[in-house]
Amino acid sequence: MAKQSIVPFGPQHPVLPEPVHLDLVLEDETVVKAVPSIGFVHRGLEKLVELKDFKQYVYIAERVCGICSFGHGLGYCQCVEDIMGVEAPRRAAYLRTIWMEMSRVHSHLLWLGLLADALGFESLFMQSWRLREKILDMFDLTTGGRIIFSVNCIGGVLKDMDSGMLVQISRTVDEIERELRPVADTFLRDVTVGSRLNGLGVLSAEDAKGMGAVGPMLRASGVPYDSRLTGYAAYGDLSVEPITATAGDSMARCEVRIREIYQSFRLIREAIAKIPQGDIAVPVKGNPNGESFMRIEQPRGEAIYYVKANGTKFLDRFRLRTPTTSNIPPMLDLLRGCQLADVALLILTIDPCISCTER
Amino acid sequence: MEYLNTIEPVTLEQFMPEVVSLKMQGWHVTQLCAARVPEGYELSYTFGREYDLRTLRLTVAEDQPVSSITQIFPSAFLQENEAAELFGVKIENIEKDYNGRLYRISRETPFKEKG
Amino acid sequence: MAKLAKSPWLLHYDASSCNGCDIEVLDCTTPRFDIERFGIINTGDPFQADILLVTGGVNAQSEAVVKQIYSQMPNPKVVVAVGICACTGGVFKECYNIKGGVDTVIPVDVYVPGCAARPQAIIDGVVKALEILDKKRRDYAQARKSGQADEAEGGNEPWNT
């Protein structure tokens, strides 16, 4: 048996935008075990429910993470709405859907950029982020924020989109769709990208299901599961088809995300075509009492929100199980047996969001 | 789409056999969470299969040890460690037990008491 | 800022940020905002960095990392706190695991508020930091000439200890 050595990985690592630490046990160049240690970004924000009332807490929930910010606000609001028996108006549900899908486009483009950066493909990184700027401009136009919007409230949304904005969004979507084509082709067909991603970190459908993988990680292994099909917000009215690939390797995960961007474009167009007129919020009176589990399909996968209320302004418990929490066990499994040089890439292909995970 | 989303209270004796039978029926762990109640802790174990969710609800006294489900569902280890570290739930025999050093926070079991 | 003495290198560390400010810092290096036109390069190596951008408040675990990165940077150096969490702790100030802003751990020269801080604001902050860096560099050269480098910032350089 070769001599074992331990290589620390992180927390400050050029490939990772966020701090996470792994102890990699190596035999020569091969990883035999990976032990994660987290907690660099742990803030303890779930405990803030004791200090902020349930309406203020929307803003805390949105700040769980700056990438999936809109979805976290939405998940929290849906939980409280479910407990209070409030239903957001249809127009609000459509607006939420449009923002949610725009968030998915922004998140996947961001991930593509980071992947290109990890591969050392600098111009591809810049191109992906250049396209992402156009979506951020649309957020800026419709909400006034680029990253954190604070447009969700319990009972609906705070801002409406006028028809001019909707037209501009659909124009921007057309523009990005056109310009994304050569970028997407490079990811999927380029020889150098392919030689790094093809066959790397294969996750079988059984393992993915058994270990509870979620999101593109699960779908890239051929399991058609997408919690948007449960029909929250306006997804019940739209045609959502889970996007799957069969290979289960890193390239499949990349492909699923790229195809999801195109799917989001379709959904945004469909929602813009179908959006009804009407109010954007209903008044909410009283305090919540009860508990509720809700699921949201975030860009990284399914997130589960749990709210437990006791009839006062202050909630008993808010809990968020993020997609990355579910994807870490399969990731550790994939790391076993891989080469040291591929570790960074493998970690990146699950699209980890550490600040969500640690809260 | 119609799907299940239930919360079922179970006793400590029923709990383990129930978890094993869920495993046999092809369910996977989706979520595990602890909450503080006056008599101790309320543990919610959520399992998923297709689009269905089933939550087993276990209420235990503060010093009552609960055995870990990581022998059956290894991927629950992160969330069990979290409940043990932040709430002080006594979870026994976790595979990959961090012994309260997962988040390495400066304050012990912050969720145990209010404030 | 008439001219820059040299091209400063920038290091970014996420102390406990929600990612919002982090991706805006990364955004600054992309074509739309292009911080590289000021001659600035984003590096991952503290030993070669002049400007430290910290996002997020400091928590129990990142405290040691922030301190270590700061001590590894050569003198003179400047620190920019990006985002309201890095300035004061922001919405997370009352969390049990947040110590407060970055200035509770290391000296901060420029504060960039905002949630998330916009790239324009970050660039503004970095350009301000460049002026401070220039001044520190002059002071430092002066101090070394008069043999007081130990008292000026620079005590931790190998040839001074």
Side-chain angles (χ1 to χ4, degrees):
Chain A
M1 198 180 88
K3 195 169 157 270
Q4 289 198 340
S5 46
I6 296 176
V7 173
F9 184 89
Q12 198 257 340
H13 190 277
V15 163
L16 304 170
E18 289 182 277
V20 64
H21 179 88
L22 286 174
D23 284 314
L24 301 169
V25 182
L26 300 179
E27 247 167 47
D28 296 333
E29 283 278 296
T30 312
V31 179
V32 288
K33 199 178 162 201
V35 184
S37 54
I38 59 175
F40 293 93
V41 205
H42 180 68
R43 290 151 286 180
L45 59 83
E46 284 177 354
K47 193 152 171 82
L48 280 183
V49 288
E50 291 169 11
L51 297 169
K52 313 274 179 198
D53 72 42
F54 73 97
K55 283 182 181 164
Q56 291 171 327
Y57 198 79
V58 179
Y59 302 103
I60 308 286
E62 291 198 319
R63 281 159 179 79
V64 169
C65 164
I67 305 175
C68 348
S69 152
F70 184 81
H72 290 320
L74 175 59
Y76 171 75
C77 288
Q78 284 193 358
C79 270
V80 179
E81 284 164 12
D82 183 45
I83 294 172
M84 299 179 84
V86 176
E87 198 180 341
R90 287 317 286 164
R91 188 171 176 87
Y94 270 85
L95 290 173
R96 284 173 169 182
T97 309
I98 295 174
W99 275 314
M100 192 65 230
E101 287 309 308
M102 279 160 66
S103 299
R104 194 180 316 278
V105 173
H106 128 77
S107 171
H108 282 348
L109 283 172
L110 178 128
W111 178 81
L112 286 174
L114 291 178
L115 176 72
D117 191 38
L119 294 166
F121 205 147
E122 199 74 1
S123 60
L124 202 52
F125 165 46
M126 295 294 175
Q127 290 292 350
S128 310
W129 281 50
R130 187 179 61 82
L131 292 176
R132 182 177 154 263
E133 283 297 326
K134 295 181 199 280
I135 280 286
L136 295 187
D137 282 347
M138 287 303 106
F139 285 139
D140 209 350
L141 176 79
T142 52
T143 68
R146 280 163 53 88
I147 300 291
I148 290 179
F149 325 134
S150 301
V151 285
N152 265 313
C153 68
I154 291 162
V157 290
L158 294 170
K159 286 188 180 121
D160 200 354
M161 293 188 202
D162 61 27
S163 52
M165 288 176 182
L166 292 173
V167 169
Q168 219 165 329
I169 290 174
S170 66
R171 261 196 221 131
T172 310
V173 163
D174 291 345
E175 200 181 311
I176 304 176
E177 187 165 27
R178 209 170 42 242
E179 293 181 25
L180 181 63
R181 192 55 70 185
V183 176
D185 277 352
T186 313
F187 275 109
L188 298 175
R189 305 228 171 83
D190 188 80
V191 180
T192 34
V193 176
S195 64
R196 286 300 299 277
L197 297 183
N198 280 330
L200 174 68
V202 180
L203 185 68
S204 70
E206 262 103 87
D207 281 356
K209 258 200 250 174
M211 284 190 265
V214 291
M217 182 101 170
L218 177 68
R219 290 192 286 273
S221 297
V223 184
Y225 177 85
D226 191 322
S227 28
R228 281 179 288 180
L229 285 175
T230 57
Y232 62 90
Y235 287 112
D237 300 353
L238 307 177
S239 49
V240 185
E241 265 297 305
I243 289 191
T244 56
T246 44
D249 61 354
S250 301
M251 189 49 121
R253 296 194 267 280
C254 179
E255 186 202 321
V256 165
R257 289 196 178 96
I258 288 176
R259 282 168 52 206
E260 279 186 10
I261 298 178
Y262 287 105
Q263 181 192 37
S264 294
F265 292 152
R266 264 201 315 282
L267 291 173
I268 293 171
R269 284 200 200 98
E270 203 181 332
I272 289 177
K274 284 188 182 165
I275 189 166
Q277 292 298 324
D279 289 336
I280 54 163
V282 288
V284 173
K285 289 200 188 70
N287 294 322
N289 193 359
E291 56 186 334
S292 171
F293 279 102
M294 275 286 161
R295 289 179 274 188
I296 297 281
E297 186 72 21
Q298 289 275 20
R300 289 166 177 71
E302 176 191 73
I304 295 189
Y305 301 81
Y306 171 63
V307 168
K308 188 176 178 219
N310 52 10
T312 66
K313 303 203 288 187
F314 299 99
L315 301 175
D316 260 355
R317 179 92 166 99
F318 167 65
R319 154 94 175 142
L320 162 59
R321 199 277 287 141
T322 60
T324 308
T325 313
S326 289
N327 279 338
I328 283 179
M331 177 193 87
L332 295 178
D333 193 58
L334 293 183
L335 283 176
R336 213 169 303 132
C338 84
Q339 296 295 302
L340 180 60
D342 289 332
V343 169
L345 212 52
L346 262 179
I347 295 176
L348 208 62
T349 59
I350 76 158
D351 198 359
C353 183
I354 307 301
S355 87
C356 284
T357 311
E358 301 180 4
R359 301 173 305 276
Chain B
M1 180 192 269
E2 284 297 306
Y3 56 88
L4 212 65
N5 189 353
T6 55
I7 298 175
E8 303 153 31
V10 289
T11 62
L12 207 53
E13 290 80 55
Q14 293 166 336
F15 176 63
M16 262 306 156
E18 189 69 21
V19 172
V20 174
S21 87
L22 284 173
K23 170 87 178 180
M24 305 299 277
Q25 293 162 31
W27 295 72
H28 62 263
V29 158
T30 57
Q31 189 270 141
L32 197 161
C33 120
R36 196 76 171 98
V37 285
E39 58 269 33
Y41 301 107
E42 193 179 81
L43 301 173
S44 311
Y45 295 78
T46 310
F47 298 88
R49 187 175 68 179
E50 305 274 293
Y51 290 90
D52 293 341
L53 285 183
R54 276 179 71 182
T55 303
L56 300 185
R57 169 68 47 85
L58 197 60
T59 308
V60 294
E62 213 171 282
D63 48 0
Q64 172 77 52
V66 183
S67 72
S68 160
I69 61 166
T70 47
Q71 314 294 334
I72 305 155
F73 293 102
S75 52
F77 79 98
L78 270 179
Q79 303 184 58
E80 282 196 342
N81 272 302
E82 187 183 295
E85 178 167 5
L86 300 184
F87 284 85
V89 186
K90 297 211 165 24
I91 300 182
E92 286 178 334
N93 303 326
I94 311 179
E95 232 174 89
K96 299 197 190 129
D97 198 340
Y98 284 78
N99 295 313
R101 308 285 296 155
L102 175 71
Y103 286 129
R104 284 175 277 177
I105 46 180
S106 50
R107 204 174 127 189
E108 240 174 72
T109 59
F111 283 84
K112 198 169 177 180
E113 304 301 331
K114 287 252 177 208
Chain C
M1 191 188 60
K3 70 173 173 65
L4 297 173
K6 71 165 199 184
S7 305
W9 286 24
L10 186 147
L11 174 73
H12 162 232
Y13 184 72
D14 170 354
S16 77
S17 148
C18 73
N19 264 336
C21 297
D22 297 309
I23 51 180
E24 292 292 51
V25 166
L26 265 178
D27 235 22
C28 289
T29 64
T30 57
R32 165 79 68 89
F33 300 101
D34 196 15
I35 206 168
E36 292 186 8
R37 65 200 147 105
F38 298 106
I40 296 165
I41 291 178
N42 191 7
T43 170
D45 182 2
F47 291 98
Q48 298 178 15
D50 305 290
I51 304 174
L52 175 62
L53 294 189
V54 187
T55 52
V58 176
N59 69 13
Q61 220 184 128
S62 68
E63 181 185 355
V65 185
V66 170
K67 272 187 188 157
Q68 188 190 7
I69 291 176
Y70 183 74
S71 70
Q72 284 171 339
M73 286 168 63
N75 274 313
K77 54 196 163 191
V78 285
V79 177
V80 183
V82 176
I84 194 67
C85 300
C87 295
T88 66
V91 287
F92 304 121
K93 201 184 171 106
E94 290 152 319
C95 287
Y96 57 84
N97 204 31
I98 291 287
K99 271 191 78 151
V102 180
D103 53 6
T104 53
V105 180
I106 54 172
V108 174
D109 299 283
V110 183
Y111 296 86
V112 180
C115 178
R118 284 183 170 251
Q120 291 93 331
I122 297 172
I123 293 176
D124 226 32
V126 171
V127 170
K128 269 228 162 61
L130 289 181
E131 287 166 24
I132 297 173
L133 183 65
D134 254 8
K135 189 180 170 298
K136 279 193 177 175
R137 195 172 281 147
R138 279 197 303 276
D139 292 352
Y140 183 57
Q142 199 73 44
R144 283 191 62 176
K145 235 182 241 165
S146 52
Q148 293 164 324
D150 276 341
E151 283 134 56
E153 278 185 278
N156 70 349
E157 293 199 4
W159 54 83
N160 283 328
T161 46

